[in-house]
Amino acid sequence: MIAFEGLFLIYLTSAVFFILSIKGLSSPTSAQKGNFLGIAGMILAILATLLVIPSRNDAGILFALISAAVLGIFWAKSVKMTALPQMIALLNGVGGLSSLLVGMAQILRHQEHLFDTSIGIVIGAIAFSGSIIAFFKLNGMYRFKRFQYANFLNIIVLGVLIFCWVQFASYNTISWAYFLILTALIFGGTITMPVGGADMPIMISVLNACSGFAAVGIGFAMSNIVLIITGALVGASGTILAAVMTKAMNKSLFQILFLKDLQTQNTDMEDKIARTASIKDAAFLLENANKVIVVPGFGMASSKAQYALKNMTFLLENKYHVNVKFAIHPVAGRMPGHMNVLLAEAKVDYTKVFALDEINPDFETADVAYVIGANDITNSAAQSDPSSPLYGMPILEVFKAKTVIFVKRSLNAGYAGVENPLFFADNTLMLYGDAKKVTEEIIAEL
Amino acid sequence: MTLLFLITIFLLSCFIGYFVVQNVTPALHSPLMSVSNAISGIVIIGALFMAALAEKFDFQEVLSLLAVFFAGLNIFGGFAVSERMLKLFEKKDKDK
């Protein structure tokens, strides 16, 4: 019994370490220490469990652990920073899958705490299949438009899921458990499939929360506090991220899951003329500016323009003494914080990178806003046009800058399918082309 | 342990989670996801318990070992990729 009380205390210590590890992320200076605390908490919990609970098959456990270590570390070291959203999506899925497997083993082993276990199983299964679909979507391997009966299908599947759940709760049979798992897996897939590309950061956050709450379910079933505390922590993290993202898009989770993407507006685009700049014009404007604010979007990630941007910034700062800042919208990119990581990868000093609220007052005094591969997050219709589907969404107020340079592939509307009136504004210059190539060409002119 | 006790733990943890995560700087939202992925691998404890309960090599044991593997993947992959990302946010003068 003493061993078990000791184990309880060790688990509590691990849980505290995990809380501190998330707390470490409140600043880049303490973040690495936080990660280290997380690792320490994990080692503590695993070692204590292995020592206190002897197993018949220690060799098998060791083999599973070592192969996970080799594969996991290799994966983490080899993944490209631009492919991070895919990796995070898969990790969410794997987290759900492990809860699902533990829950299944538990149902097969004993016949108690079945309902608690089934919570872990259902949420885990949804997180798993949902994340797999999210992974394919992010990878661009599979494009799935919302089809007409998607909501109908989701409701049917949800109905079957609830039915299976009730059956399982009342009869506690293994076969109902299998049906429950199967429908939960299907539901995770059908609910994720129709979600649009630009809504992916939100979906990833939701799936992240699911993988946490699945662990909570297992924790209840096993009366294990470290699972409950950690699962709640992860669940809170995913939920808050989803809330931050939905607020930044002025959408609700309901809209994202169940409503059609906004329709492209039929506007008189042909009548308006967007002014085009040459590379030389752009270089001239940038050189002679006092203050430049760079606004990156997914286009920067897809063309890997962050290094070119860093070089451009370096030249502007050191050769022309321009004050260069970066402005990041919460939903820029394909996952929360995506742009920040890419800029950090290119060694852009993070003290020059600002969030929406911090940077918006700065645009008024900026000479040039250099918008690269971003669109909707700068759409001034969100503030000026109540009929716009984006109306009310917080935007980066680039239109207040003296000149706005848009680096874009074309005049096409963004993911939201809404035309950006900024393209036709008097102080806007368009630079058509690939984000990276255009930036490199500007560097050549500087 | 009674259910009420566990519910208390859960509820209070949600509050702790809420306040701790609120303080995470937006610049580190990606590492936040990977760190939380890594620590959600704590479900490995459950997998280890289930593996230890197996008396012979059977389907349950296979499930438990698979769970150990996948939770381990979360732990190692999650912490390693967080470490890699967080290194990028180091101050430049430290590099030299």
Side-chain angles (χ1 to χ4, degrees):
Chain A
M1 202 53 218
I2 288 165
F4 281 95
E5 278 176 9
L7 200 54
F8 184 96
L9 288 177
I10 287 177
Y11 286 162
L12 199 58
T13 315
S14 296
V16 171
F17 275 26
F18 292 150
I19 294 170
L20 291 176
S21 84
I22 302 279
K23 191 176 175 293
L25 294 175
S26 51
S27 145
T29 46
S30 59
Q32 269 186 302
K33 207 173 71 197
N35 198 38
F36 183 72
L37 282 174
I39 297 173
M42 193 57 81
I43 292 174
L44 197 63
I46 294 177
L47 278 187
T49 312
L50 285 175
L51 288 177
V52 175
I53 320 271
S55 155
R56 185 190 58 80
N57 193 355
D58 275 337
I61 290 175
L62 219 59
F63 177 74
L65 268 178
I66 290 172
S67 38
V70 171
L71 198 69
I73 292 174
F74 172 75
W75 186 17
K77 296 281 171 210
S78 59
V79 70
K80 288 208 176 71
M81 281 294 152
T82 36
L84 267 179
Q86 288 93 312
M87 180 175 184
I88 301 284
L90 274 188
L91 283 177
N92 285 337
V94 169
L97 179 63
S98 11
S99 292
L100 171 65
L101 290 170
V102 176
M104 266 170 79
Q106 212 174 10
I107 286 184
L108 291 170
R109 183 67 59 196
H110 1 244
Q111 301 289 322
E112 53 184 14
H113 293 303
L114 285 174
F115 187 71
D116 304 349
T117 313
S118 70
I119 297 175
I121 284 184
V122 169
I123 304 179
I126 292 174
F128 173 57
S129 59
S131 300
I132 299 296
I133 299 288
F135 167 77
F136 282 121
K137 281 184 162 245
L138 288 166
N139 234 354
M141 289 179 195
Y142 147 98
R143 289 195 165 267
F144 192 96
K145 288 267 174 300
R146 177 181 293 278
F147 58 97
Q148 208 177 349
Y149 300 110
N151 287 340
F152 184 67
L153 180 71
N154 276 329
I155 288 167
I156 299 274
V157 178
L158 184 63
V160 177
L161 177 66
I162 291 169
F163 174 76
C164 289
W165 211 340
V166 171
Q167 293 297 314
F168 175 73
S170 24
Y171 299 112
N172 286 335
T173 59
I174 304 289
S175 45
W176 277 117
Y178 285 129
F179 279 123
L180 185 63
I181 292 168
L182 189 69
T183 41
L185 284 173
I186 294 174
F187 182 67
T190 53
I191 196 87
T192 314
M193 273 182 202
V195 175
D199 294 336
M200 257 10 244
I202 300 172
M203 205 54 211
I204 292 192
S205 309
V206 170
L207 292 166
N208 187 235
C210 282
S211 74
F213 289 127
V216 173
I218 301 296
F220 268 94
M222 300 187 114
S223 299
N224 189 320
I225 53 156
V226 73
L227 290 194
I228 296 179
I229 298 176
T230 315
L233 212 57
V234 176
S237 149
T239 310
I240 290 177
L241 285 178
V244 170
M245 305 291 118
T246 42
K247 207 178 137 208
M249 290 184 102
N250 196 32
K251 279 183 173 178
S252 68
L253 192 57
F254 179 82
Q255 264 176 309
I256 287 154
L257 292 177
F258 301 111
L259 299 187
K260 255 200 160 91
D261 273 352
L262 302 163
Q263 293 294 319
T264 310
Q265 284 174 311
N266 295 320
T267 41
D268 41 351
M269 204 140 119
E270 295 80 20
D271 302 349
K272 296 183 205 157
I273 298 158
R275 290 198 300 153
T276 318
S278 70
I279 298 289
K280 274 196 176 143
D281 299 340
F284 179 82
L285 279 166
L286 288 166
E287 281 170 16
N288 292 295
N290 283 318
K291 187 161 149 192
V292 172
I293 299 178
V294 180
V295 180
F298 183 65
M300 177 189 89
S302 61
S303 78
K304 300 185 175 60
Q306 63 268 33
Y307 296 99
L309 270 179
K310 160 73 190 173
N311 291 339
M312 188 181 92
T313 310
F314 184 82
L315 271 177
L316 287 176
E317 280 176 333
N318 293 305
K319 206 164 153 190
Y320 301 100
H321 306 291
V322 182
N323 176 9
V324 184
K325 290 179 171 182
F326 288 80
I328 313 281
H329 193 276
V331 293
R334 286 290 176 274
M335 74 173 165
H338 194 185
M339 295 294 121
N340 301 83
V341 172
L342 294 178
L343 289 175
E345 186 192 17
K347 299 216 177 303
V348 171
D349 183 1
Y350 64 79
T351 55
K352 284 185 201 141
V353 181
F354 297 90
L356 180 78
D357 302 336
E358 301 167 332
I359 196 81
N360 257 346
D362 270 53
F363 281 107
E364 250 170 294
T365 53
D367 299 291
V368 179
Y370 188 73
V371 185
I372 175 159
N375 183 0
D376 294 332
I377 57 174
T378 65
N379 196 323
S380 54
Q383 288 190 349
S384 59
D385 177 9
S387 71
S388 167
L390 290 177
Y391 188 69
M393 170 175 139
I395 55 159
L396 287 164
E397 295 165 347
V398 297
F399 64 89
K400 288 187 178 162
K402 220 176 265 168
T403 311
V404 185
I405 300 178
F406 263 99
V407 182
K408 253 188 125 277
R409 282 168 184 277
S410 71
L411 263 187
N412 289 344
Y415 264 94
V418 183
E419 185 195 310
N420 193 342
L422 211 51
F423 295 163
F424 312 104
D426 291 336
N427 61 341
T428 300
L429 292 170
M430 306 296 296
L431 265 176
Y432 296 112
D434 175 77
K436 185 182 171 191
K437 252 173 91 186
V438 168
T439 308
E440 279 169 350
E441 282 166 18
I442 291 179
I443 292 172
E445 290 292 327
L446 288 177
Chain B
M1 255 174 277
T2 67
L3 184 62
L4 282 180
F5 173 75
L6 297 177
I7 290 176
T8 311
I9 297 273
F10 172 63
L11 215 66
L12 294 180
S13 316
C14 284
F15 276 96
I16 293 176
Y18 176 80
F19 289 114
V20 174
V21 175
Q22 279 282 312
N23 266 325
V24 172
T25 169
L28 295 179
H29 275 167
S30 289
L32 169 65
M33 297 199 98
S34 59
V35 169
S36 63
N37 267 318
I39 64 173
S40 75
I42 191 69
V43 79
I44 198 169
I45 301 297
L48 291 175
F49 267 92
M50 293 319 297
L53 281 174
E55 283 142 9
K56 56 179 184 344
F57 188 74
D58 56 9
F59 185 47
Q60 286 102 307
E61 191 176 82
V62 173
L63 287 179
S64 314
L65 290 180
L66 276 176
V68 171
F69 170 76
F70 283 115
L73 200 57
N74 244 355
I75 295 169
F76 289 105
F79 279 129
V81 82
S82 310
E83 169 76 14
R84 215 180 122 195
M85 270 191 260
L86 293 173
K87 269 223 166 77
L88 301 174
F89 285 92
E90 265 175 6
K91 273 276 190 194
K92 260 202 273 164
D93 42 80
K94 258 195 211 163
D95 285 358
K96 286 166 197 169

